[in-house]
Amino acid sequence: MLVDVDRETMNLDPGKVYEAVTPRTRAVLAVHLFGRPLDWEELQNAVSPDVHLVEDAAGALGARWRGMPCGGLAELGCISFHPRKIVSTGEGGAVTTQNGDLDDAVRRLRHHGIATSGEFDIPEPGFNYRLSDILCAVGLVQLRRLEELWEGRQRLAKAYSERLEGIVETPTAAKGDRHGWQAYVVQLDRRDEALEALREAEIQAQIGTYAVHRLSAYKDQGPFPGADSCYERALALPFHSRLTEPDLDRVAEVLDNVVSE
Ligand SMILES: *Cc1c(COP(=O)(O)O)cnc(C)c1O
């Protein structure tokens, strides 16, 4: 089942998780959206200890919750190396865990279900989900530079926020946390007008996020006002290493014009 998000953080609302869990709840899959760390303690407190927590840290490599790396908070985490992420192999990703049995299961399942030790056997059906060695080589050199890559994003995010504070709602992490800056997504009431104005100025921007419950495959599961608000108000701004200060000034100017119209 789906649980609504907080309209400000755009992350899962732990209070709503608490209301949604039943004795049949087996696991909660929680996202650190765009690299903003979800308050993991609040989530842990919202469910009983026998509910498994799975961390969608797909866009949160480099982010930290209270100093701890996102992707390492849950029993099982997943990280994406899609081109939009801080470390990219084109396609693919990684699963993280400290649990030996889960580690073995993931290694087995990604490789046709073949047992990782002992005689050749397939104890249960698996998949062909391996990331190729060549792509791993591409990813590993970036992983070693993760801090440097993150610092570049942090600088850019700070430069945006300095210009956009008071114009739109700028993205933040909670005190003591570190945002991963997978994307720089602001929120504002007249999002569609802003998107149009940016495009007219030949600035590439995009709707910040879609809302799962509005998609055909997942609709009619109840009202989700938090997700509706994010879908209507979120705006992803250009965010890449070649952006210059004048580029950021231009983005801020267009947004300022829309908001003060
Ligand atoms: C990028 C992303 C995904 C998708 O990752 P893939 O590697 O393309 O499967 C899923 N969840 C979140 C939060 C993401 O940021």
Side-chain angles (χ1 to χ4, degrees):
M1 83 182 300
L2 298 175
V3 172
D4 204 8
V5 295
D6 177 277
R7 61 178 69 210
E8 258 175 58
T9 67
M10 298 193 264
N11 275 339
L12 194 57
D13 180 338
K16 298 250 165 65
V17 174
Y18 179 81
E19 288 165 18
V21 286
T22 72
R24 290 181 55 228
T25 304
R26 300 282 304 276
V28 176
L29 171 61
V31 182
H32 305 287
L33 198 66
F34 307 126
R36 179 191 161 114
L38 175 73
D39 189 328
W40 208 255
E41 188 172 35
E42 276 188 27
L43 179 64
Q44 283 170 324
N45 290 341
V47 298
S48 78
D50 52 320
V51 171
H52 300 282
L53 299 182
V54 180
E55 195 181 1
D56 179 347
L61 186 61
R64 292 191 189 155
W65 174 73
R66 300 190 191 166
M68 286 178 275
C70 292
L73 303 173
E75 250 180 297
L76 207 64
C78 40
I79 290 167
S80 168
F81 303 138
H82 179 269
R84 281 188 62 191
K85 317 299 176 172
I86 188 163
V87 165
S88 174
T89 58
E91 283 289 357
V95 175
T96 57
T97 185
Q98 303 266 19
N99 176 313
D101 292 339
L102 288 175
D103 173 64
D104 194 64
V106 171
R107 287 178 195 277
R108 193 160 28 83
L109 289 171
R110 72 168 178 177
H111 184 46
H112 311 295
I114 298 171
T116 55
S117 59
E119 226 172 286
F120 182 92
D121 190 22
I122 292 186
E124 59 183 346
F127 311 95
N128 182 353
Y129 282 179
R130 292 178 311 276
L131 182 58
S132 82
D133 289 350
I134 293 171
L135 292 181
C136 289
V138 169
L140 281 170
V141 287
Q142 296 170 62
L143 261 188
R144 288 191 200 107
R145 292 177 52 219
L146 180 61
E147 262 327 271
E148 183 191 332
L149 293 168
W150 177 81
E151 279 162 15
R153 287 179 178 234
Q154 165 75 2
R155 262 197 304 279
L156 188 56
K158 192 161 166 273
Y160 256 132
S161 293
E162 278 165 10
R163 287 163 175 80
L164 295 176
E165 218 74 71
I167 299 175
V168 294
E169 290 163 33
T170 55
T172 58
K175 203 159 179 288
D177 291 355
R178 180 169 119 164
H179 205 298
W181 302 119
Q182 187 240 310
Y184 189 86
V185 178
V186 300
Q187 294 198 66
L188 73 166
D189 283 337
R190 292 158 67 195
R191 193 275 314 276
D192 290 338
E193 285 165 67
L195 190 53
E196 202 175 310
L198 287 167
R199 287 179 175 167
E200 253 167 48
E202 298 189 328
I203 296 168
Q204 293 281 327
Q206 191 50 269
I207 287 176
T209 184
Y210 292 89
V212 171
H213 72 284
R214 290 180 171 226
L215 307 175
S216 303
Y218 310 102
K219 64 184 183 197
D220 301 327
Q221 295 196 42
F224 297 98
D228 279 326
S229 168
C230 298
Y231 168 63
E232 283 158 15
R233 301 182 73 246
L235 175 68
L237 298 180
F239 199 65
H240 59 81
S241 57
R242 302 272 170 93
L243 284 169
T244 62
E245 301 254 322
D247 289 338
L248 304 187
D249 291 339
R250 268 182 63 220
V251 174
E253 193 186 318
V254 173
L255 289 179
D256 192 24
N257 284 342
V258 171
V259 170
S260 49
E261 246 169 44

